[in-house]
Amino acid sequence: MNLVPGLAEAYASRVPVLALVGQPPTGQEGRGAFQESSGKAGSFDAREVFTPVSQFCARVDDADSLAELLPRAVAAAQADPKGPAVLLLPKDVQQAQVELPDHGVTPMSLVQTTAGATAGPGAEARDAVSAALRGASRVLIIAGDEVAAAEARGELAELARRLGAWVAVTPDAKDVFDNRSPRFAGIAGVMGHANVEGCLRRADLCLLVGTRLPALASGGLDQALAATPVVCINPEPPFVAGIALGGNLREALRAVVGELPSCSRPCAEHDGPVPTRVRPRVPTPVPKPLHTPDPQSGGGPVSYAEAVAAVEAALPQDAHVFVDAGNAGATAIHLLPAPRHGRFVVAVGMGGMGYTFGAGIGAALATGQRTYVLAGDGAFFMHGMEVHTAVEYAAPVTFVIFNNNAHAMCAVRDELLQGGVRSDDLFARTDIAAGVAAAFPALDATWAGDAAQLRQALLRSNASGAPAFIALDCHAREIPPFLPFLPFTESTESTKRPESEESSDERGPVHVG
């Protein structure tokens, strides 16, 4: 049952997973066996639990059927749409000897052959997409995480070059296009940049690549989308109206690129520069701090913008970054450029807090590359003790905990939208770094009192092959770059900004959404 949240995220984010789930022996079904889920004698049925969060779910009733069910499960996980496949394996089936059919090929290679036979894009849809692209002088591409899943970054870059297009990315796809490219328009949606909306309003066509444009990616763009023709290249149809081209994404992109002139179009200027860091927002006035700074600690809370700038300064360009939910996640998505040669992973399918700890450790062990986990204290208290696994296996993971001693996005939402903060969203100060250091004496665990100390600790972790843990204090009422909070932020800023600043151009392109 602990597996269900992970499969739900994989299902929503279209991640292929094969889950082998143990069951009590078949002879004990309906007899109150420990952890029984056969559906008999009053027990719940595991198939009914896992089916809604999987593309395929089957119970292996006898060992001989595994040779047929295993290829079907893996093929279903890798098909479009991708997602989890579940096989329920009773204990006696697990222990049985199985004789594989003599096909001259193993079941796994048979699966790969079957799953790899993907139909190409339909000629009619491809022609319609190509004609629309050739007829548009200004194109905004919004790219999603399916580009990374399909290993189609090169095809996306070539398409943008031939079209002279601006490229924005969805919040979970920062690493599919170079964030430092002059073509990069920013992040689309509720944690993104206003520049994307400006580009969309100037575009003749919006091209979705590898995304269906869910609500978190389309937030703030609805009016502009309604006034702009939309074309989508993605295995699944988009959530907005437009011309859709399905099939294998990489093959579809290659086919469309082949229909365009090979020369590069010049890229039109943006509405304004796309910032790698925005000016820190002015938080809502706070009558008193949520906790008193420790006089021994050397200072008060560090702003999120300063903290993310320190992370950017230290981040290796071949590192992997895993960003958790909440204020820390919204700020990192908005401000932190993706490393050029590493992944930047955000799980927005279900938005589950704490997923980064297990995911970051898995990535570090699989690749051997330095991996950064950026999470808040709420996420840490849910799943942070997975640090133990990193310590045991010497995984090269740097855990950075933005500790605001609160469920801060909930607290900000309550204060701005409901007129007051509930006390159960605010906590007494916890020295997380000291606790982790006491639990794991061999772990390099640091409390960073300011951005400079954070950067120094990060650089020290980069030079080590071992895990590291860094915590810093942030303010619970600092308003994160999140579209629903923007009207309150702008209202607060307008009461504080001198007239000379009010008319400057600095403000326009750097705001959220």
Side-chain angles (χ1 to χ4, degrees):
M1 292 301 97
N2 293 336
L3 181 63
V4 171
L7 291 186
E9 174 62 51
Y11 184 86
S13 294
R14 302 300 192 249
V15 179
V17 174
L18 175 64
L20 306 178
V21 181
Q23 303 278 281
T26 53
Q28 295 185 20
E29 290 177 1
R31 298 173 58 188
F34 177 61
Q35 296 184 342
E36 179 170 355
S37 56
S38 65
K40 299 177 180 179
S43 66
F44 70 90
D45 190 335
R47 281 174 295 192
E48 294 184 359
V49 173
F50 288 111
T51 294
V53 292
S54 64
Q55 301 293 357
F56 179 89
C57 180
R59 178 182 170 85
V60 185
D61 291 315
D62 58 80
D64 291 336
S65 64
L66 185 63
E68 182 253 333
L69 288 173
L70 179 59
R72 286 180 58 194
V74 179
Q78 295 175 328
D80 289 324
K82 300 179 181 68
V86 180
L87 291 179
L88 305 173
L89 294 169
K91 187 70 172 179
D92 52 322
V93 173
Q94 295 176 32
Q95 296 175 325
Q97 295 292 320
V98 60
E99 196 167 309
L100 297 178
D102 186 15
H103 294 310
V105 63
T106 65
M108 288 306 290
S109 60
L110 177 64
V111 167
Q112 292 164 357
T113 301
T114 304
T118 307
E124 185 176 341
R126 184 186 65 210
D127 291 344
V129 168
S130 299
L133 294 177
R134 285 195 301 268
S137 59
R138 283 183 173 174
V139 177
L140 171 66
I141 296 174
I142 302 180
D145 64 330
E146 183 64 27
V147 174
E151 298 182 345
R153 291 180 180 86
E155 287 77 8
L156 172 64
E158 178 61 16
L159 179 62
R161 184 189 72 82
R162 294 198 183 194
L163 292 172
W166 302 304
V167 181
V169 296
T170 58
D172 55 349
K174 287 196 75 168
D175 58 8
V176 304
F177 193 80
D178 185 357
N179 293 184
R180 298 161 184 83
S181 167
R183 298 188 187 279
F184 184 61
I187 314 301
V190 297
M191 292 167 278
H193 302 109
N195 187 70
V196 176
E197 183 185 10
C199 290
L200 181 57
R201 291 190 182 279
R202 296 174 63 195
D204 303 316
L205 184 91
C206 178
L207 173 60
L208 308 180
V209 177
T211 179
R212 306 178 73 188
L213 208 65
L216 286 179
S218 65
L221 302 178
D222 303 287
Q223 290 184 355
L225 281 168
T228 308
V230 174
V231 169
C232 179
I233 305 176
N234 190 61
E236 295 182 87
F239 294 119
V240 294
I243 301 171
L245 175 59
N248 178 278
L249 179 63
R250 194 174 186 184
E251 291 179 6
L253 285 175
R254 288 177 174 176
V256 170
V257 166
E259 298 285 332
L260 298 173
S262 60
C263 58
S264 175
R265 283 194 205 169
C267 182
E269 291 184 1
H270 299 185
D271 273 5
V274 180
T276 55
R277 292 193 297 273
V278 299
R279 171 172 47 83
R281 300 189 179 280
V282 180
T284 300
V286 180
K288 61 180 181 179
L290 300 180
H291 58 79
T292 303
D294 182 354
Q296 305 296 322
S297 68
V302 182
S303 78
Y304 283 101
E306 291 174 334
V308 170
V311 172
E312 180 186 352
L315 182 66
Q317 288 304 298
D318 61 350
H320 304 303
V321 179
F322 285 77
V323 177
D324 220 296
N327 284 13
T331 307
I333 290 169
H334 190 77
L335 298 180
L336 181 63
R340 289 183 185 274
H341 309 295
R343 295 301 315 273
F344 189 106
V345 182
V346 182
V348 296
M350 298 298 290
M353 292 175 63
Y355 89 96
T356 53
F357 294 92
I361 293 168
L365 292 174
T367 66
Q369 297 296 113
R370 175 58 56 179
T371 300
Y372 276 40
V373 167
L374 309 180
D377 52 311
F380 171 79
F381 286 128
M382 290 184 180
H383 297 289
M385 281 298 104
E386 286 299 328
V387 169
H388 177 247
T389 303
V391 172
E392 286 294 307
Y393 291 95
V397 186
T398 301
F399 301 94
V400 184
I401 309 302
F402 298 78
N403 182 14
N404 49 38
N405 298 288
H407 288 147
M409 186 163 279
C410 298
V412 172
R413 180 182 62 223
D414 290 346
E415 183 164 19
L416 297 182
L417 305 181
Q418 299 187 30
V421 181
R422 299 194 314 270
S423 61
D424 53 354
D425 280 331
L426 306 178
F427 316 138
R429 183 176 185 271
T430 305
D431 192 341
I432 295 176
V436 168
F440 308 108
L443 177 64
D444 180 7
T446 306
W447 181 83
D450 56 34
Q453 292 179 15
L454 172 59
R455 180 173 178 270
Q456 291 170 1
L458 291 169
L459 292 173
R460 188 170 67 247
S461 77
N462 295 344
S464 165
F469 188 96
I470 307 161
L472 63 149
D473 284 356
C474 297
H475 210 299
R477 284 176 174 155
E478 180 177 343
I479 301 177
F482 194 63
L483 182 62
F485 302 155
L486 182 59
F488 301 93
T489 306
E490 290 183 328
S491 174
T492 303
E493 288 180 344
S494 65
T495 63
K496 291 176 172 288
R497 189 179 297 106
E499 269 188 31
S500 59
E501 284 191 15
E502 196 72 43
S503 60
S504 75
D505 291 333
E506 174 195 12
R507 193 165 162 264
V510 299
H511 274 268
V512 189

PDB file of all heavy atoms in Angstrom, residues 26 29 58-70 87-99:
ATOM      1  N   THR A  26      -1.063 -18.475  -2.479  1.00  0.00           N
ATOM      2  CA  THR A  26      -2.431 -18.694  -2.972  1.00  0.00           C
ATOM      3  C   THR A  26      -3.228 -19.601  -2.041  1.00  0.00           C
ATOM      4  O   THR A  26      -4.447 -19.446  -1.910  1.00  0.00           O
ATOM      5  CB  THR A  26      -2.403 -19.288  -4.382  1.00  0.00           C
ATOM      6  OG1 THR A  26      -1.577 -20.463  -4.382  1.00  0.00           O
ATOM      7  CG2 THR A  26      -1.848 -18.292  -5.385  1.00  0.00           C
ATOM      8  N   GLU A  29      -5.299 -17.728   0.680  1.00  0.00           N
ATOM      9  CA  GLU A  29      -6.297 -16.727   0.312  1.00  0.00           C
ATOM     10  C   GLU A  29      -7.632 -17.010   1.018  1.00  0.00           C
ATOM     11  O   GLU A  29      -8.075 -18.162   1.091  1.00  0.00           O
ATOM     12  CB  GLU A  29      -6.519 -16.741  -1.204  1.00  0.00           C
ATOM     13  CG  GLU A  29      -5.336 -16.217  -1.988  1.00  0.00           C
ATOM     14  CD  GLU A  29      -5.561 -16.314  -3.484  1.00  0.00           C
ATOM     15  OE1 GLU A  29      -6.649 -16.782  -3.891  1.00  0.00           O
ATOM     16  OE2 GLU A  29      -4.658 -15.929  -4.249  1.00  0.00           O
ATOM     17  N   ALA A  58      -2.279  -7.094 -13.387  1.00  0.00           N
ATOM     18  CA  ALA A  58      -2.712  -8.494 -13.475  1.00  0.00           C
ATOM     19  C   ALA A  58      -2.152  -9.273 -12.298  1.00  0.00           C
ATOM     20  O   ALA A  58      -1.082  -8.975 -11.770  1.00  0.00           O
ATOM     21  CB  ALA A  58      -2.242  -9.115 -14.794  1.00  0.00           C
ATOM     22  N   ARG A  59      -2.899 -10.276 -11.924  1.00  0.00           N
ATOM     23  CA  ARG A  59      -2.437 -11.198 -10.884  1.00  0.00           C
ATOM     24  C   ARG A  59      -1.865 -12.432 -11.572  1.00  0.00           C
ATOM     25  O   ARG A  59      -2.482 -13.011 -12.480  1.00  0.00           O
ATOM     26  CB  ARG A  59      -3.607 -11.592  -9.985  1.00  0.00           C
ATOM     27  CG  ARG A  59      -3.257 -12.581  -8.891  1.00  0.00           C
ATOM     28  CD  ARG A  59      -4.514 -12.931  -8.097  1.00  0.00           C
ATOM     29  NE  ARG A  59      -4.272 -14.031  -7.194  1.00  0.00           N
ATOM     30  CZ  ARG A  59      -3.765 -13.898  -5.975  1.00  0.00           C
ATOM     31  NH1 ARG A  59      -3.460 -12.699  -5.525  1.00  0.00           N
ATOM     32  NH2 ARG A  59      -3.567 -14.951  -5.200  1.00  0.00           N
ATOM     33  N   VAL A  60      -0.671 -12.820 -11.167  1.00  0.00           N
ATOM     34  CA  VAL A  60      -0.021 -14.006 -11.728  1.00  0.00           C
ATOM     35  C   VAL A  60      -0.476 -15.206 -10.906  1.00  0.00           C
ATOM     36  O   VAL A  60       0.063 -15.484  -9.836  1.00  0.00           O
ATOM     37  CB  VAL A  60       1.513 -13.865 -11.710  1.00  0.00           C
ATOM     38  CG1 VAL A  60       2.165 -15.059 -12.400  1.00  0.00           C
ATOM     39  CG2 VAL A  60       1.943 -12.562 -12.377  1.00  0.00           C
ATOM     40  N   ASP A  61      -1.483 -15.925 -11.396  1.00  0.00           N
ATOM     41  CA  ASP A  61      -2.074 -17.018 -10.617  1.00  0.00           C
ATOM     42  C   ASP A  61      -1.219 -18.276 -10.624  1.00  0.00           C
ATOM     43  O   ASP A  61      -1.334 -19.113  -9.721  1.00  0.00           O
ATOM     44  CB  ASP A  61      -3.466 -17.339 -11.165  1.00  0.00           C
ATOM     45  CG  ASP A  61      -4.452 -16.210 -10.873  1.00  0.00           C
ATOM     46  OD1 ASP A  61      -4.459 -15.712  -9.733  1.00  0.00           O
ATOM     47  OD2 ASP A  61      -5.185 -15.816 -11.795  1.00  0.00           O
ATOM     48  N   ASP A  62      -0.373 -18.447 -11.653  1.00  0.00           N
ATOM     49  CA  ASP A  62       0.516 -19.602 -11.680  1.00  0.00           C
ATOM     50  C   ASP A  62       1.796 -19.197 -12.395  1.00  0.00           C
ATOM     51  O   ASP A  62       1.818 -18.257 -13.204  1.00  0.00           O
ATOM     52  CB  ASP A  62      -0.139 -20.790 -12.380  1.00  0.00           C
ATOM     53  CG  ASP A  62      -0.552 -20.469 -13.800  1.00  0.00           C
ATOM     54  OD1 ASP A  62       0.321 -20.496 -14.697  1.00  0.00           O
ATOM     55  OD2 ASP A  62      -1.743 -20.153 -14.016  1.00  0.00           O
ATOM     56  N   ALA A  63       2.866 -19.908 -12.101  1.00  0.00           N
ATOM     57  CA  ALA A  63       4.183 -19.519 -12.599  1.00  0.00           C
ATOM     58  C   ALA A  63       4.258 -19.555 -14.117  1.00  0.00           C
ATOM     59  O   ALA A  63       4.935 -18.725 -14.740  1.00  0.00           O
ATOM     60  CB  ALA A  63       5.252 -20.429 -11.990  1.00  0.00           C
ATOM     61  N   ASP A  64       3.572 -20.490 -14.758  1.00  0.00           N
ATOM     62  CA  ASP A  64       3.669 -20.615 -16.216  1.00  0.00           C
ATOM     63  C   ASP A  64       3.131 -19.381 -16.942  1.00  0.00           C
ATOM     64  O   ASP A  64       3.567 -19.068 -18.050  1.00  0.00           O
ATOM     65  CB  ASP A  64       2.919 -21.864 -16.690  1.00  0.00           C
ATOM     66  CG  ASP A  64       3.624 -23.148 -16.256  1.00  0.00           C
ATOM     67  OD1 ASP A  64       4.851 -23.089 -16.020  1.00  0.00           O
ATOM     68  OD2 ASP A  64       2.944 -24.189 -16.143  1.00  0.00           O
ATOM     69  N   SER A  65       2.182 -18.692 -16.333  1.00  0.00           N
ATOM     70  CA  SER A  65       1.598 -17.524 -17.001  1.00  0.00           C
ATOM     71  C   SER A  65       2.518 -16.310 -16.965  1.00  0.00           C
ATOM     72  O   SER A  65       2.271 -15.318 -17.656  1.00  0.00           O
ATOM     73  CB  SER A  65       0.257 -17.164 -16.367  1.00  0.00           C
ATOM     74  OG  SER A  65       0.427 -16.775 -15.014  1.00  0.00           O
ATOM     75  N   LEU A  66       3.595 -16.361 -16.168  1.00  0.00           N
ATOM     76  CA  LEU A  66       4.498 -15.215 -16.076  1.00  0.00           C
ATOM     77  C   LEU A  66       5.169 -14.916 -17.418  1.00  0.00           C
ATOM     78  O   LEU A  66       5.375 -13.751 -17.771  1.00  0.00           O
ATOM     79  CB  LEU A  66       5.566 -15.464 -15.005  1.00  0.00           C
ATOM     80  CG  LEU A  66       6.510 -14.287 -14.722  1.00  0.00           C
ATOM     81  CD1 LEU A  66       5.746 -13.098 -14.176  1.00  0.00           C
ATOM     82  CD2 LEU A  66       7.609 -14.706 -13.747  1.00  0.00           C
ATOM     83  N   ALA A  67       5.502 -15.973 -18.182  1.00  0.00           N
ATOM     84  CA  ALA A  67       6.185 -15.760 -19.460  1.00  0.00           C
ATOM     85  C   ALA A  67       5.321 -14.955 -20.430  1.00  0.00           C
ATOM     86  O   ALA A  67       5.845 -14.264 -21.302  1.00  0.00           O
ATOM     87  CB  ALA A  67       6.542 -17.113 -20.083  1.00  0.00           C
ATOM     88  N   GLU A  68       4.010 -15.016 -20.262  1.00  0.00           N
ATOM     89  CA  GLU A  68       3.120 -14.245 -21.125  1.00  0.00           C
ATOM     90  C   GLU A  68       2.784 -12.886 -20.513  1.00  0.00           C
ATOM     91  O   GLU A  68       2.731 -11.866 -21.209  1.00  0.00           O
ATOM     92  CB  GLU A  68       1.824 -15.036 -21.356  1.00  0.00           C
ATOM     93  CG  GLU A  68       0.838 -14.337 -22.305  1.00  0.00           C
ATOM     94  CD  GLU A  68      -0.361 -13.757 -21.553  1.00  0.00           C
ATOM     95  OE1 GLU A  68      -0.700 -14.283 -20.479  1.00  0.00           O
ATOM     96  OE2 GLU A  68      -0.939 -12.769 -22.056  1.00  0.00           O
ATOM     97  N   LEU A  69       2.610 -12.822 -19.172  1.00  0.00           N
ATOM     98  CA  LEU A  69       2.194 -11.583 -18.526  1.00  0.00           C
ATOM     99  C   LEU A  69       3.324 -10.571 -18.403  1.00  0.00           C
ATOM    100  O   LEU A  69       3.093  -9.356 -18.490  1.00  0.00           O
ATOM    101  CB  LEU A  69       1.617 -11.889 -17.140  1.00  0.00           C
ATOM    102  CG  LEU A  69       0.244 -12.569 -17.126  1.00  0.00           C
ATOM    103  CD1 LEU A  69      -0.145 -12.970 -15.702  1.00  0.00           C
ATOM    104  CD2 LEU A  69      -0.820 -11.642 -17.725  1.00  0.00           C
ATOM    105  N   LEU A  70       4.564 -11.038 -18.203  1.00  0.00           N
ATOM    106  CA  LEU A  70       5.674 -10.098 -18.030  1.00  0.00           C
ATOM    107  C   LEU A  70       5.904  -9.251 -19.282  1.00  0.00           C
ATOM    108  O   LEU A  70       5.995  -8.021 -19.186  1.00  0.00           O
ATOM    109  CB  LEU A  70       6.947 -10.849 -17.629  1.00  0.00           C
ATOM    110  CG  LEU A  70       8.191  -9.985 -17.428  1.00  0.00           C
ATOM    111  CD1 LEU A  70       7.972  -8.944 -16.345  1.00  0.00           C
ATOM    112  CD2 LEU A  70       9.401 -10.856 -17.086  1.00  0.00           C
ATOM    113  N   LEU A  87       2.278  -6.259 -11.570  1.00  0.00           N
ATOM    114  CA  LEU A  87       2.061  -7.700 -11.506  1.00  0.00           C
ATOM    115  C   LEU A  87       1.995  -8.102 -10.044  1.00  0.00           C
ATOM    116  O   LEU A  87       2.909  -7.807  -9.262  1.00  0.00           O
ATOM    117  CB  LEU A  87       3.193  -8.459 -12.211  1.00  0.00           C
ATOM    118  CG  LEU A  87       3.264  -8.320 -13.738  1.00  0.00           C
ATOM    119  CD1 LEU A  87       4.451  -9.110 -14.280  1.00  0.00           C
ATOM    120  CD2 LEU A  87       1.968  -8.783 -14.391  1.00  0.00           C
ATOM    121  N   LEU A  88       0.904  -8.742  -9.645  1.00  0.00           N
ATOM    122  CA  LEU A  88       0.717  -9.231  -8.277  1.00  0.00           C
ATOM    123  C   LEU A  88       1.233 -10.661  -8.207  1.00  0.00           C
ATOM    124  O   LEU A  88       0.747 -11.540  -8.929  1.00  0.00           O
ATOM    125  CB  LEU A  88      -0.757  -9.164  -7.901  1.00  0.00           C
ATOM    126  CG  LEU A  88      -1.409  -7.773  -8.062  1.00  0.00           C
ATOM    127  CD1 LEU A  88      -2.910  -7.849  -7.830  1.00  0.00           C
ATOM    128  CD2 LEU A  88      -0.768  -6.768  -7.123  1.00  0.00           C
ATOM    129  N   LEU A  89       2.211 -10.889  -7.353  1.00  0.00           N
ATOM    130  CA  LEU A  89       2.929 -12.167  -7.322  1.00  0.00           C
ATOM    131  C   LEU A  89       2.755 -12.857  -5.970  1.00  0.00           C
ATOM    132  O   LEU A  89       3.427 -12.502  -4.986  1.00  0.00           O
ATOM    133  CB  LEU A  89       4.423 -11.939  -7.580  1.00  0.00           C
ATOM    134  CG  LEU A  89       4.797 -11.424  -8.973  1.00  0.00           C
ATOM    135  CD1 LEU A  89       6.253 -10.986  -8.995  1.00  0.00           C
ATOM    136  CD2 LEU A  89       4.558 -12.500 -10.007  1.00  0.00           C
ATOM    137  N   PRO A  90       1.887 -13.862  -5.863  1.00  0.00           N
ATOM    138  CA  PRO A  90       1.789 -14.635  -4.622  1.00  0.00           C
ATOM    139  C   PRO A  90       3.123 -15.310  -4.299  1.00  0.00           C
ATOM    140  O   PRO A  90       3.918 -15.622  -5.191  1.00  0.00           O
ATOM    141  CB  PRO A  90       0.700 -15.665  -4.932  1.00  0.00           C
ATOM    142  CG  PRO A  90      -0.104 -15.046  -6.036  1.00  0.00           C
ATOM    143  CD  PRO A  90       0.887 -14.275  -6.859  1.00  0.00           C
ATOM    144  N   LYS A  91       3.335 -15.538  -3.024  1.00  0.00           N
ATOM    145  CA  LYS A  91       4.627 -16.071  -2.562  1.00  0.00           C
ATOM    146  C   LYS A  91       4.972 -17.408  -3.221  1.00  0.00           C
ATOM    147  O   LYS A  91       6.127 -17.648  -3.610  1.00  0.00           O
ATOM    148  CB  LYS A  91       4.602 -16.232  -1.038  1.00  0.00           C
ATOM    149  CG  LYS A  91       5.925 -16.618  -0.427  1.00  0.00           C
ATOM    150  CD  LYS A  91       6.918 -15.459  -0.507  1.00  0.00           C
ATOM    151  CE  LYS A  91       8.185 -15.765   0.273  1.00  0.00           C
ATOM    152  NZ  LYS A  91       9.164 -14.666   0.174  1.00  0.00           N
ATOM    153  N   ASP A  92       3.992 -18.307  -3.380  1.00  0.00           N
ATOM    154  CA  ASP A  92       4.293 -19.604  -3.979  1.00  0.00           C
ATOM    155  C   ASP A  92       4.645 -19.469  -5.458  1.00  0.00           C
ATOM    156  O   ASP A  92       5.454 -20.226  -5.985  1.00  0.00           O
ATOM    157  CB  ASP A  92       3.119 -20.579  -3.794  1.00  0.00           C
ATOM    158  CG  ASP A  92       1.803 -20.004  -4.272  1.00  0.00           C
ATOM    159  OD1 ASP A  92       1.572 -18.795  -4.073  1.00  0.00           O
ATOM    160  OD2 ASP A  92       0.990 -20.752  -4.840  1.00  0.00           O
ATOM    161  N   VAL A  93       4.077 -18.447  -6.130  1.00  0.00           N
ATOM    162  CA  VAL A  93       4.436 -18.205  -7.527  1.00  0.00           C
ATOM    163  C   VAL A  93       5.870 -17.672  -7.605  1.00  0.00           C
ATOM    164  O   VAL A  93       6.641 -18.049  -8.493  1.00  0.00           O
ATOM    165  CB  VAL A  93       3.446 -17.225  -8.179  1.00  0.00           C
ATOM    166  CG1 VAL A  93       3.901 -16.830  -9.577  1.00  0.00           C
ATOM    167  CG2 VAL A  93       2.050 -17.841  -8.224  1.00  0.00           C
ATOM    168  N   GLN A  94       6.221 -16.825  -6.665  1.00  0.00           N
ATOM    169  CA  GLN A  94       7.588 -16.293  -6.639  1.00  0.00           C
ATOM    170  C   GLN A  94       8.621 -17.411  -6.527  1.00  0.00           C
ATOM    171  O   GLN A  94       9.705 -17.342  -7.118  1.00  0.00           O
ATOM    172  CB  GLN A  94       7.765 -15.340  -5.454  1.00  0.00           C
ATOM    173  CG  GLN A  94       6.936 -14.070  -5.506  1.00  0.00           C
ATOM    174  CD  GLN A  94       7.118 -13.247  -4.243  1.00  0.00           C
ATOM    175  OE1 GLN A  94       8.193 -13.248  -3.634  1.00  0.00           O
ATOM    176  NE2 GLN A  94       6.071 -12.555  -3.830  1.00  0.00           N
ATOM    177  N   GLN A  95       8.299 -18.431  -5.746  1.00  0.00           N
ATOM    178  CA  GLN A  95       9.275 -19.492  -5.464  1.00  0.00           C
ATOM    179  C   GLN A  95       9.247 -20.640  -6.472  1.00  0.00           C
ATOM    180  O   GLN A  95      10.088 -21.531  -6.419  1.00  0.00           O
ATOM    181  CB  GLN A  95       9.018 -20.041  -4.055  1.00  0.00           C
ATOM    182  CG  GLN A  95       9.236 -18.994  -2.957  1.00  0.00           C
ATOM    183  CD  GLN A  95       8.860 -19.519  -1.584  1.00  0.00           C
ATOM    184  OE1 GLN A  95       7.917 -20.306  -1.446  1.00  0.00           O
ATOM    185  NE2 GLN A  95       9.578 -19.082  -0.559  1.00  0.00           N
ATOM    186  N   ALA A  96       8.289 -20.588  -7.395  1.00  0.00           N
ATOM    187  CA  ALA A  96       8.149 -21.715  -8.332  1.00  0.00           C
ATOM    188  C   ALA A  96       9.186 -21.655  -9.446  1.00  0.00           C
ATOM    189  O   ALA A  96       9.686 -20.589  -9.805  1.00  0.00           O
ATOM    190  CB  ALA A  96       6.739 -21.700  -8.933  1.00  0.00           C
ATOM    191  N   GLN A  97       9.518 -22.823  -9.981  1.00  0.00           N
ATOM    192  CA  GLN A  97      10.363 -22.917 -11.168  1.00  0.00           C
ATOM    193  C   GLN A  97       9.493 -22.675 -12.398  1.00  0.00           C
ATOM    194  O   GLN A  97       8.355 -23.127 -12.466  1.00  0.00           O
ATOM    195  CB  GLN A  97      10.992 -24.309 -11.259  1.00  0.00           C
ATOM    196  CG  GLN A  97      11.953 -24.634 -10.125  1.00  0.00           C
ATOM    197  CD  GLN A  97      13.209 -23.791 -10.181  1.00  0.00           C
ATOM    198  OE1 GLN A  97      13.745 -23.545 -11.264  1.00  0.00           O
ATOM    199  NE2 GLN A  97      13.675 -23.347  -9.024  1.00  0.00           N
ATOM    200  N   VAL A  98      10.007 -21.937 -13.363  1.00  0.00           N
ATOM    201  CA  VAL A  98       9.245 -21.645 -14.563  1.00  0.00           C
ATOM    202  C   VAL A  98      10.084 -22.016 -15.784  1.00  0.00           C
ATOM    203  O   VAL A  98      11.295 -21.782 -15.817  1.00  0.00           O
ATOM    204  CB  VAL A  98       8.823 -20.157 -14.615  1.00  0.00           C
ATOM    205  CG1 VAL A  98      10.025 -19.229 -14.607  1.00  0.00           C
ATOM    206  CG2 VAL A  98       7.962 -19.883 -15.844  1.00  0.00           C
ATOM    207  N   GLU A  99       9.442 -22.638 -16.760  1.00  0.00           N
ATOM    208  CA  GLU A  99      10.122 -23.018 -17.986  1.00  0.00           C
ATOM    209  C   GLU A  99       9.727 -22.034 -19.082  1.00  0.00           C
ATOM    210  O   GLU A  99       8.552 -21.921 -19.450  1.00  0.00           O
ATOM    211  CB  GLU A  99       9.710 -24.447 -18.385  1.00  0.00           C
ATOM    212  CG  GLU A  99      10.644 -25.060 -19.412  1.00  0.00           C
ATOM    213  CD  GLU A  99      10.402 -26.558 -19.540  1.00  0.00           C
ATOM    214  OE1 GLU A  99      10.381 -27.249 -18.504  1.00  0.00           O
ATOM    215  OE2 GLU A  99      10.223 -27.002 -20.679  1.00  0.00           O
TER     216      GLU A  99
END
